[in-house]
Amino acid sequence: LLTGGLDPESGRVHLSHNLEVATMDQKREYLKKGWRAKDALTGGQGDRVSIRGKSRHVIGYLKDFLFTPEQAETPINVLSGGEKGRLLLARALANTSTLLVLEEPTNDLDIETLDLLQVMLSDYAGTILLVSHDRDFLDRIVTSVIVSEGDGRWIEYAGGYSDMVAQRL
């Protein structure tokens, strides 16, 4: 509902007029057949990418996400799951946004990339809505956990996953 991917079954969704949403979905639907890695950031247009409003060469930006210069030309279909995840993360963090919605961002990531993700999310200036099964990652990165209690009720707990478990006891 927040990203506009679903319409409400009833009622209305009111979003702030200042809300700018960036997303990373686990289905990786944004990555198009025939694209190279750099095309996912440039939209297939040139060698420059806009990073939060500032122009940057795509190779340099890809290096920030552990890609080699040669991998910029790699077809999307031969990238590993972790590489596709890093590419989508790079795309999501390039956008100027006030809300970052990440759906299972830790899937297929190695330890080095998990550490990179943690640093980049810690530096994010907006609000992050993170959906993950990775309890350790949640403990390291989140400041609150929102849990469905059934019947349309959602409860927010301060702290990470372990904190939420302790509060529910």
Side-chain angles (χ1 to χ4, degrees), residues 114-138:
L114 284 171
D115 290 343
L116 172 68
L117 176 60
Q118 182 175 344
V119 168
M120 293 195 161
L121 294 182
S122 296
D123 291 340
Y124 183 72
T127 299
I128 300 171
L129 179 60
L130 172 68
V131 178
S132 180
H133 67 279
D134 188 334
R135 296 170 181 176
D136 179 61
F137 186 75
L138 291 172

Side-chain angles (χ1 to χ4, degrees), residues 12-66:
R12 292 182 293 177
V13 176
H14 296 278
L15 302 176
S16 167
H17 68 282
N18 296 349
L19 186 67
E20 296 179 47
V21 181
T23 62
M24 176 184 166
D25 74 294
Q26 69 177 336
K27 294 179 187 173
R28 301 176 175 152
E29 292 175 346
Y30 177 78
L31 301 176
K32 297 188 180 6
K33 275 187 173 179
W35 269 7
R36 299 163 294 174
K38 72 178 190 175
D39 297 333
L41 299 175
T42 65
Q45 305 295 315
D47 290 330
R48 304 216 51 92
V49 62
S50 179
I51 308 300
R52 291 178 291 287
K54 295 182 180 173
S55 180
R56 188 158 172 210
H57 196 278
V58 70
I59 301 287
Y61 188 60
L62 282 168
K63 283 182 180 179
D64 292 350
F65 291 86
L66 311 176

Side-chain angles (χ1 to χ4, degrees), residues 87-166:
L87 196 54
L88 286 171
L89 179 63
R91 180 183 166 273
L93 290 172
N95 296 319
T96 301
S97 63
T98 56
L99 174 63
L100 182 60
V101 179
L102 303 173
E103 183 182 348
E104 296 291 355
T106 62
N107 282 357
D108 303 318
L109 298 184
D110 58 27
I111 298 297
E112 185 179 20
T113 306
L114 284 171
D115 290 343
L116 172 68
L117 176 60
Q118 182 175 344
V119 168
M120 293 195 161
L121 294 182
S122 296
D123 291 340
Y124 183 72
T127 299
I128 300 171
L129 179 60
L130 172 68
V131 178
S132 180
H133 67 279
D134 188 334
R135 296 170 181 176
D136 179 61
F137 186 75
L138 291 172
D139 276 341
R140 289 184 283 128
I141 197 72
V142 305
T143 57
S144 68
V145 175
I146 301 171
V147 178
S148 171
E149 299 290 346
D151 296 324
R153 289 188 25 237
W154 294 80
I155 305 291
E156 182 177 7
Y157 296 91
Y161 180 83
S162 297
D163 298 315
M164 178 273 303
V165 170

